[in-house]
Amino acid sequence: MAWSNSKISSAFITDALNRTNAFDVNSDTLRAALFNNSITPDQTAAAASFAYNAGQWANTNELSQGGWAAGGVALTGVTSSFASNVYTFDATDTANGTAATISGAFGCLVYDDTLTTPVADQGLSFHYFGGTQSVTAGTFTIVWAASGVLSLTL
């Protein structure tokens, strides 16, 4: 089984609420790394296995092509808000910034590139693109959902 949906990491939520990690989505560097269809993302994976270049997110499955560097592209325009019982984390749509060719992208891992302990590059969420996506001599853009990169209804 391969990609089938988008999910928030249960380890991210647990670590944020238990203050195991000092996540600061407003000031940390968050990145989106592209991946092929050779993985089966697991929402319940432990933090050490839900980190960039670890477990299923090993860079052997990562796509780094066409201006989308290994390690991913930094999220910009990050916002974090709470309204009407919904917490929303959002960012500007993420793009490679140059005309290039990217092929075979099935999804991405959003992770915190600032944290180093207890788990470096811990993932926040993964996002399925609905099938294989590509661009030829163009700009590859991840268009985040209208409800944000991730949202929680409380």
Side-chain angles (χ1 to χ4, degrees), residues 3 13 17 20 22 26 36 39 48 55 68 73 84 108 113 119 136 146:
W3 292 88
I13 298 299
L17 293 175
T20 304
N26 289 316
N36 62 27
I39 62 173
W68 207 284
V73 172
S84 302
C108 72
D113 194 30
V119 174
T136 302

Side-chain angles (χ1 to χ4, degrees), residues 12-128:
F12 162 64
I13 298 299
T14 301
D15 288 349
L17 293 175
N18 290 338
R19 295 176 47 179
T20 304
N21 275 341
F23 288 106
D24 187 344
V25 295
N26 289 316
S27 63
D28 289 356
T29 299
L30 305 172
R31 296 188 176 279
L34 295 179
F35 286 84
N36 62 27
N37 201 32
S38 296
I39 62 173
T40 302
D42 179 7
Q43 174 187 23
T44 62
S49 296
F50 204 107
Y52 172 72
N53 201 22
Q56 64 192 343
W57 303 106
N59 62 13
T60 55
N61 297 314
E62 183 181 9
L63 296 177
S64 55
Q65 43 183 262
W68 207 284
V73 172
L75 275 64
T76 61
V78 171
T79 60
S80 178
S81 62
F82 183 80
S84 302
N85 294 327
V86 178
Y87 167 77
T88 303
F89 164 70
D90 202 5
T92 304
D93 293 343
T94 305
N96 63 330
T98 59
T101 297
I102 294 176
S103 62
F106 275 79
C108 72
L109 170 70
V110 173
Y111 71 97
D112 190 323
D113 194 30
T114 302
L115 296 177
T116 57
T117 59
V119 174
D121 300 330
Q122 186 170 346
L124 282 64
S125 57
F126 59 82
H127 303 268
Y128 175 48

